[in-house]
Amino acid sequence: MRTQVAIVGAGPAGLFLSHLLAQEGIDSVVLEIRNRGHIERRVRAGVLEQGTVDALRAAGVADRLDREGLVHHGLELRFAGRGHRIPLSDLADGRAITVYGQQEVVKDLICARLAAAGRLLFEVAGLTVHVLTSSSPVVCFRQEGREHELRCDVIAGCDGSHGVCRDAIPRGALTVYERAYPFAWLGILAAVPPSTAELIYAYHERGFALHSLRSPAISRFYLQCRPDETLEAWPDERIWGELRARLATDDGWTLAEGPILERGITTMRSCVVEPMQHGRLFLAGDAAHIVPPTGAKGLNLAVADVRVLAEALAAWYRTGRADLLESYSATCLRRVWRAEHFSWWMTAMLHRQDDDPFQRRLQLAQLRYVCDSTAAATTLAENYVGLEWV
Ligand code: FAD
Ligand code: DHB
């Protein structure tokens, strides 16, 4: 088998890269370890930056997003029993976020690739990547019991944080920057109309809570929990009790409850590898960097990376110029580190960290400042909707 670009992983990064390359007339094959149903049902992020929506629209894969996505012009910070609206669009040049589940983006991209007869191989096993510094790297894998070798010009490692591409780069060629956080998020999807029109990020002595949404009938919630906790420790009644307590206000706001459709625990960490390239292997999305979810940046960074990579590959194939490919890592890392900082800052401001009352007062001082100062609120707003110029 041969292709121009072998793409490992059919998450948002791999699928969108394949779509963008096809629009430039560049052939690719996407290799995915899971089956199609699994990746289409996997519940993950839900907040798309303005730039992500614009990119999906420009690439012709936003018809359903434009119909079903919920455009939000603000969000709420809730603490000490009161909500404070941050008017995102007023503070960030009219830009907004769109709430649309990551798995919906994945479904739309799979449909677009299959409609264009794109090669998408699911349920591949034992995938390995080879001769990365040669001009003809190779991907080996098994599918339906048969061994395959895929020869290509370039490999795109879009295989997420547990993939194999990053680990194929020799130790010593990469620097890894990491930070673990002493908490995790319990996330649920519930069949109940949202009790809010905009996302609520709540700081509370019992821990952080987030009220998000997916549609007029489906709500999404997150609760800060310990990283070593299991779902068994969180029966429905405890989940709703904690959400009620952490989201409570002094003005009689009530939380509507409903059947829980899905639940999971995600640990939180920051991680960046530098550079995001080794020879003809380019890492993109979670394969290269992880952010804690508080800033809602993971999916958006994945999309931003592959836009840079697709443009660089297009220039290389069209004219032979390699400068954009050579600067791929440096270009992406500017945005990545901005997002790492923003996610870390949001995480530090909103999570219960320990029993230190000094720390709690610092967090409350920061929250009040963000709500009372236009300059501070603008910092949150422009990062949250996504910076255009990084
Ligand atoms: P992924 O979506 O992880 O895609 C990688 C793909 O590669 C997967 O389909 C995987 O099956 C495949 N793969 C892995 N190994 C191999 C292999 N060896 N061979 C072939 N294929 C392979 N971000 C937020 O902003 N907010 C959130 O609430 C949020 N929640 C999350 C919850 C979970 C459980 C996880 C894991 C992530 C969450 N994220 C969240 C992060 C966000 O979803 C990711 O940043 C985003 O999925 C990155 O896209 P990606 O395409 O780089 O990686
Ligand atoms: C969602 C996820 C996030 O990480 C976040 O910061 C806001 C919303 C969500 O899944 O809806």
Side-chain angles (χ1 to χ4, degrees), residues 125-247:
L127 186 144
T128 48
V129 295
H130 303 275
V131 287
L132 303 176
T133 50
S134 80
S135 60
S136 184
V138 178
V139 183
C140 298
F141 60 96
R142 270 191 316 282
Q143 201 192 26
E144 292 170 355
R146 291 181 49 199
E147 306 282 341
H148 298 274
E149 245 185 50
L150 175 62
R151 294 181 180 280
C152 55
D153 302 326
V154 164
I155 299 173
C158 303
D159 49 348
S161 56
H162 303 294
V164 295
C165 289
R166 187 186 50 224
D167 292 341
I169 300 176
R171 274 166 186 267
L174 280 187
T175 307
V176 182
Y177 300 89
E178 259 182 305
R179 166 118 349 152
Y181 299 87
F183 26 77
W185 278 16
L186 166 70
I188 66 160
L189 204 61
V192 60
S195 304
T196 179
E198 295 179 337
L199 270 67
I200 304 170
Y201 285 78
Y203 171 83
H204 193 276
E205 288 208 354
R206 303 180 68 86
F208 169 73
L210 171 57
H211 187 339
S212 182
L213 45 145
R214 285 293 179 273
S215 73
I218 306 280
S219 300
R220 176 94 167 132
F221 298 95
Y222 297 94
L223 282 167
Q224 176 184 350
C225 64
R226 291 201 321 271
D228 57 354
E229 274 180 300
T230 58
L231 288 173
E232 288 71 59
W234 286 90
D236 291 15
E237 198 31 62
R238 181 173 178 211
I239 292 175
W240 290 114
E242 282 298 323
L243 285 169
R244 278 195 304 272
R246 298 184 194 186
L247 290 165

Side-chain angles (χ1 to χ4, degrees), residues 47 72-78 83-89 91 97 99 196-202 210-211 294-296 342 346 349-350 367 370-371 377 380-381 383-385:
V47 172
H72 285 196
H73 298 284
L75 61 73
E76 183 179 324
L77 292 178
R78 193 173 277 190
H84 307 257
R85 183 170 190 267
I86 305 292
L88 296 172
S89 301
L91 297 169
I97 53 139
V99 179
T196 179
E198 295 179 337
L199 270 67
I200 304 170
Y201 285 78
L210 171 57
H211 187 339
T294 326
F342 178 65
M346 288 281 279
M349 180 169 71
L350 287 161
L367 281 161
V370 169
C371 297
L380 190 153
N383 280 279
Y384 195 77
V385 301

Side-chain angles (χ1 to χ4, degrees), residues 8-14 31-34 38-39 42-47 102 124 127 158-164 185 220 222 265-266 284-287 289 291 293 295-300 302:
V8 186
L31 304 162
E32 167 60 46
I33 199 167
R34 303 287 194 161
H38 179 91
I39 64 168
R42 203 162 43 187
V43 179
R44 287 182 167 180
V47 172
Q102 175 171 326
V124 305
L127 186 144
C158 303
D159 49 348
S161 56
H162 303 294
V164 295
W185 278 16
R220 176 94 167 132
Y222 297 94
I265 291 179
T266 312
D286 277 17
H289 40 72
V291 284
K297 290 289 166 232
L299 164 64
N300 295 292

